Amino acid sequence: MSSVDSQQRILSGMRPTGKLHLGHYHGVLKNWVKLQHEFECFFFVADWHALTTQYDDPSGIEQSVWDMVVDWLAAGVNPGSSTMFIQSQVPEHAELHLLLSMITPLGWLERIPTYKDQQEKLREKDLATYGFLGYPLLQSADILLYRAGKVPVGADQVSHVEITREIARRFNHIYGREPGFEELAEAAIVKMGKKNAKLYRSLKKRYQEEGSTEALEIARALLKEQQNISLGDRERLYGYIEGGGKVILPEPQPLLTPESKMPGLDGQKMSKSYNNYIGLREDPDSVAQKVRTMQTDPQRVRRTDPGEPEKCPVWGLHKVYSDEATCAWVQEGCRSAGIGCLECKTPLIEAIVEEQKPLHERAKEYEDNPDLVYSILQEGREHARDAARDTLEEVREAMGLGYR
């Protein structure tokens, strides 16, 4: 697979935390459903990552994996349009993690912002382990194993993609300068034919002398169209234009996801740890009960007291679920005390329950037929391993481990 093609490949994963909530649906899963029709998508259950903080009590991981995958399928993640698999069932993740650990400076891992933050937040756990220190490197191995060109992340996770780029750059710098690299690259240019060779040299000069990213993009497209050069030559020429060596592990780019606007029942970010969530497939009666008992504007002590929607957690949910007319009705009715809080919550309950109907229907098919879920994950594992083996073959060869 060439680095040019990697721009059409996406890798994303989730730790198995059990059944998901509406924050996951609006923040991640709806985006996955959209991306699976635009890119080649690999979605995986990060069960090894779960062990970095849950190593002392792994008893709930298996059930959490099952519940989460059913939620993915219920949300519309389609095994016919994407590859779904469990990380620990693709051992190549562990091998690439090991090989990359040979070249990754310790300081790179220690400076990751979330390393100290997580240790502080989870102070009750002993996280002075190699696994916890190395989990960003395992994340990098996850991405680089599939040569994913794009990684959907929130703004707070960009640093994880950045270290992956640094590791890929370091790997290519150390191992991409094969013997006779420049001679092989020049020979590959000639194979492109006079017209394309001239254009490639011109684009190379523009990029290297002027830093023109436009020239780099045009060169990528040019190389992708070439039928008379090998895959290896294409990789060499891609590295050659950047002034480096052969690109063995392409550098991924963060694909920023829209920030989830799904607030919790108390107005904070929806989270299981805050116990302010509505489950992705929660029972309709439970949804109604949770919304009805939500706290509202503290100024509205009596039904006749006017309120301020901006100070009320219920308004945050209206901004997600209600149309303009309903939002206007809420604004007017709350401020004038024309409607009561229970009245304000009724259209929300109806909208949430309506959104969840197809999720319940899709989930039932899989809950009634566990073998179908297992077969989806097994098929995904085989597809993932095929892609992973291709990468590892080149990595081993580059690191001098290609012998039989």
Side-chain angles (χ1 to χ4, degrees), residues 166-355:
E166 290 177 355
I167 291 166
R169 202 174 301 140
R170 181 171 169 82
F171 186 93
N172 293 329
H173 176 74
I174 295 171
Y175 300 111
R177 300 295 291 194
E178 59 195 324
F181 171 74
E182 290 191 9
E183 291 80 359
L184 289 167
E186 287 293 336
I189 294 173
V190 173
K191 294 176 191 174
M192 293 167 63
K194 282 188 178 180
K195 183 179 177 183
N196 288 329
K198 183 178 179 182
L199 176 57
Y200 175 85
R201 292 185 195 281
S202 168
L203 294 167
K204 179 173 178 284
K205 184 176 181 182
R206 275 180 60 198
Y207 177 70
Q208 293 185 352
E209 293 183 6
E210 303 167 23
S212 170
T213 53
E214 181 190 14
L216 182 61
E217 291 303 318
I218 295 171
R220 276 182 180 163
L222 175 69
L223 291 173
K224 191 172 183 180
E225 291 169 1
Q226 299 307 302
Q227 301 295 320
N228 50 345
I229 60 172
S230 69
L231 208 57
D233 279 340
R234 194 175 299 169
E235 295 285 5
R236 287 184 191 95
L237 292 180
Y238 185 67
Y240 196 39
I241 198 171
E242 288 196 317
K246 180 180 176 182
V247 177
I248 301 166
L249 298 176
E251 294 181 34
Q253 298 288 342
L255 184 64
L256 284 174
T257 56
E259 188 177 347
S260 175
K261 296 176 181 173
M262 188 71 204
L265 297 168
D266 56 0
Q268 298 184 82
K269 178 182 177 182
M270 187 172 283
S271 169
K272 285 187 177 180
S273 59
Y274 297 153
N275 196 28
N276 66 352
Y277 66 94
I278 296 174
L280 189 75
R281 294 179 281 132
E282 191 144 338
D283 180 76
D285 290 340
S286 177
V287 172
Q289 175 65 13
K290 283 187 174 182
V291 176
R292 285 197 190 105
T293 55
M294 279 181 71
Q295 64 185 58
T296 55
D297 181 356
Q299 299 302 313
R300 293 203 74 179
V301 179
R302 294 177 294 274
R303 165 69 175 77
T304 53
D305 292 334
E308 174 49 59
E310 297 294 342
K311 295 179 182 177
C312 178
V314 179
W315 173 243
L317 288 177
H318 272 296
K319 288 194 284 189
V320 174
Y321 284 100
S322 299
D323 57 23
E324 285 186 24
T326 304
C327 285
W329 171 75
V330 169
Q331 292 269 1
E332 166 63 26
C334 181
R335 290 188 174 119
S336 66
I339 60 172
C341 293
L342 283 176
E343 196 177 349
C344 170
K345 292 171 178 177
T346 300
L348 266 183
I349 295 169
E350 292 171 354
I352 294 171
V353 169
E354 187 63 29
E355 177 182 63

Side-chain angles (χ1 to χ4, degrees), residues 48 90-100 141 392 396 401:
W48 274 336
V90 182
E92 286 79 5
H93 285 253
E95 183 177 350
L96 186 58
H97 177 218
L98 172 68
L99 295 175
L100 293 178
L392 267 179
R396 291 191 198 111
L401 305 173

